[in-house]
Amino acid sequence: MASKNTRCGGCSHPGKPDSDTELICEKVKPHAELKTGKKFDKFTPVKCSKQVVAGTNHFIKVRVGGDEYVHLRVHEKLPCAGGEIELTAIQEGKSLEDELAYF
């Protein structure tokens, strides 16, 4: 799922989410709710960037309701390593204006 705008080790510029990003969000929503102790009314990706490492780190800004957003870091393993997707970090209390950056 790494885009051609992504160089190894560096993050791509944040852009619009694609269908792969939407699928990732569907898969990690229950894990995000568990980590935050909250139930999200919405879970809509609005921006994303990627970092190619031993797999791909996805940094995703997600609207969770009203003017409330979270930032996700999701690691996608290489297909030869099983291709699993894992929510590795979440930042709460974000706004639409907050920069989506490596964390």
Side-chain angles (χ1 to χ4, degrees):
M1 286 189 212
S3 74
K4 56 187 170 189
N5 297 347
T6 309
R7 63 186 192 283
C8 285
C11 288
S12 65
H13 292 288
K16 289 188 173 191
D18 57 17
S19 58
D20 289 337
T21 305
E22 291 173 5
L23 183 61
I24 289 169
C25 285
E26 286 177 25
K27 289 181 178 181
V28 300
K29 180 182 178 188
H31 303 282
E33 290 177 333
L34 187 63
K35 282 190 176 202
T36 62
K38 298 178 180 176
K39 192 79 169 156
F40 299 121
D41 294 333
K42 296 182 184 257
F43 207 75
T44 309
V46 294
K47 274 193 179 175
C48 65
S49 67
K50 298 175 185 177
Q51 176 191 35
V52 177
V53 288
T56 304
N57 285 327
H58 300 266
F59 298 92
I60 308 168
K61 179 186 294 260
V62 178
R63 182 174 179 227
V64 294
D67 292 332
E68 200 174 335
Y69 295 80
V70 296
H71 290 182
L72 308 177
R73 183 176 68 210
V74 178
H75 182 73
E76 179 182 6
K77 292 183 179 180
L78 292 169
C80 62
E84 289 105 8
I85 293 173
E86 176 188 6
L87 175 63
T88 55
I90 186 168
Q91 294 180 335
E92 297 181 75
K94 296 294 184 174
S95 70
L96 182 60
E97 293 78 24
D98 288 329
E99 179 182 353
L100 181 61
Y102 180 90
F103 65 96

